[in-house]
Amino acid sequence: MPHRVAVLALDGVMPMDLGVAARVLNEALDPAGARLYSVTTCSLGGRPVRTNEGFRIVVDDDESLLEDADTVVIATQEPDEHLLATGELPARVATAFARIRPEARIVSLCTSSFLLAAAGLLDGLRATTHWSLCGRFARQFPDVEVDPDVLFVDNGRILTAAGGAAGIDLFIHLIRRDHGATVATSAARRCVVAPWREGGQAQFIEHPVPKEADRSTSATRQWALNRLAEPVTLQDMARHAHMSERTFTRRFRAEVGTSPLQWLVQSRLTQARRLLESSDLTVARIATACGFGDPVALRKHFHTHLGLSPLAYRRAHRAPSPRTRDNAP
């Protein structure tokens, strides 16, 4: 049975953001081409929803859909002035939230994190929202650790995205978390979006790409990706870019949103994931091929970033071979 996703549309919903979950998750397919997620939209009382663009959207389901959902998505909506002023969750929204199963995953897009915070679902957790409202969010909900400098935050059961476009990255991340890098990359390709933007990447609002195109770090990034098995250092990358280490780090962070060495670790982890999913190489061989040097370092990074050992990741995300699928009962 496909993973059931219910998208809750509230008055003031942003139309583009309302469709993000279905657009991305519907492209996640199993080896036979069947969808791995079933995405349905609902509203309070099943009534038409007023968008922030001057038109209404008709949906087929009411909030009872939330009771059976494996994942609930709260689509971006313009923050209610009463909510912003008081931090109180509207009664009808609170009643709808009460129908969500305790084990269901919950995702908020952009300013909908205000609703989760008002419901107490983010207390003691790290979360994000649109950069322009992070200060207000932090003042309104002091029990929430607000991070204004990321695309999304994954707390396991509850995830928050900084905006509608960041929601694309979050859903690609969820596909990768649920089904592995191969399925996620294929879904991203069909959506014509980047297959990997880490949640910790900056929102870019205050980090514009340098105007000097010839001084971009993109060529050096590609150079480093072609040498993941080698002990590439910050000095090596700066030398390749013909910059000082300080200038290279500043430009790199402005373009990518993270430091060169953090990016290098993430790139090596991505390659290790692909090899664990698609090859029979030992963990030691993969550690060497991806530049971690030895399996101990690889296991340390997997536990830190994914909460799994490499072998546990392989068991969870390795696609069955065609012969295994053909012989399955």
Side-chain angles (χ1 to χ4, degrees):
M1 179 181 296
H3 184 101
R4 297 163 297 187
V5 179
V7 181
L8 178 61
L10 300 170
D11 278 341
V13 70
M14 298 183 182
M16 186 187 84
D17 297 8
L18 180 60
V20 165
R23 180 67 187 90
V24 177
L25 297 178
N26 282 341
E27 297 298 343
L29 309 177
D30 68 13
R35 287 178 173 175
L36 293 167
Y37 300 88
S38 171
V39 185
T40 312
T41 302
C42 65
S43 68
L44 299 181
R47 294 193 301 271
V49 180
R50 173 182 54 79
T51 73
N52 73 326
E53 299 292 350
F55 60 88
R56 294 178 182 270
I57 293 176
V58 177
V59 301
D60 295 331
D61 293 279
D62 62 19
E63 63 268 36
S64 64
L65 194 72
L66 304 178
E67 297 175 0
D68 297 319
D70 301 306
T71 294
V72 173
V73 178
I74 315 300
T76 309
Q77 39 75 51
E78 287 186 326
D80 179 86
E81 286 302 323
H82 179 74
L83 171 62
L84 290 178
T86 66
E88 296 177 359
L89 191 65
R92 294 203 65 191
V93 177
T95 300
F97 280 10
R99 305 181 81 151
I100 300 173
R101 294 183 298 128
E103 64 272 23
R105 187 163 58 193
I106 302 176
V107 175
S108 73
L109 300 183
C110 197
T111 53
S112 290
S113 57
F114 278 81
L115 296 170
L116 298 192
L121 293 170
L122 295 177
D123 287 353
L125 299 179
R126 181 167 157 263
T128 193
T129 191
H130 192 273
W131 64 272
S132 65
L133 288 173
C134 278
R136 190 165 189 173
F137 188 95
R139 292 190 298 272
Q140 190 84 63
F141 305 105
D143 291 333
V144 182
E145 180 187 347
V146 184
D147 191 338
D149 298 320
V150 297
L151 294 177
F152 61 84
V153 175
D154 181 350
N155 286 300
R157 179 183 174 236
I158 299 180
L159 302 92
T160 54
I168 296 174
D169 301 294
L170 185 152
F171 290 122
I172 293 294
H173 165 76
L174 280 182
I175 296 172
R176 184 183 300 108
R177 198 177 96 175
D178 292 346
H179 300 287
T182 300
V183 174
T185 299
S186 297
R189 186 178 300 116
R190 283 188 284 272
C191 291
V192 198
V193 297
W196 180 266
R197 286 208 302 169
E198 184 65 28
Q201 187 164 317
Q203 292 188 35
F204 291 111
I205 300 304
E206 297 181 347
H207 302 283
V209 177
K211 294 181 180 179
E212 306 95 325
D214 60 330
R215 300 293 284 168
S216 168
T217 64
S218 60
T220 297
R221 276 180 270 143
Q222 188 57 55
W223 174 85
L225 287 174
N226 293 336
R227 292 164 175 79
L228 289 179
E230 302 175 17
V232 176
T233 65
L234 174 60
Q235 184 180 26
D236 294 332
M237 290 189 281
R239 185 185 299 115
H240 180 271
H242 304 291
M243 302 179 195
S244 69
E245 291 181 28
R246 183 176 180 180
T247 298
F248 177 76
T249 299
R250 175 172 55 81
R251 291 186 180 274
F252 194 101
R253 188 179 291 277
E255 294 180 34
V256 181
T258 189
S259 73
L261 294 182
Q262 288 173 330
W263 172 85
L264 193 59
V265 168
Q266 290 295 341
S267 298
R268 284 172 167 155
L269 278 172
T270 299
Q271 179 64 6
R273 284 176 165 186
R274 294 194 185 107
L275 291 175
L276 285 167
E277 295 173 13
S278 61
S279 78
D280 293 318
L281 292 175
T282 64
V283 171
R285 290 284 302 278
I286 290 174
T288 301
C290 297
F292 288 109
D294 60 68
V296 174
L298 179 62
R299 282 193 289 270
K300 178 181 177 181
H301 283 289
F302 259 71
H303 277 293
T304 299
H305 294 275
L306 303 175
L308 292 172
S309 70
L311 289 179
Y313 181 88
R314 171 173 270 169
R315 286 193 296 268
H317 296 283
R318 179 75 178 269
S321 67
R323 177 176 296 179
T324 301
R325 291 196 298 268
D326 291 343
N327 293 336

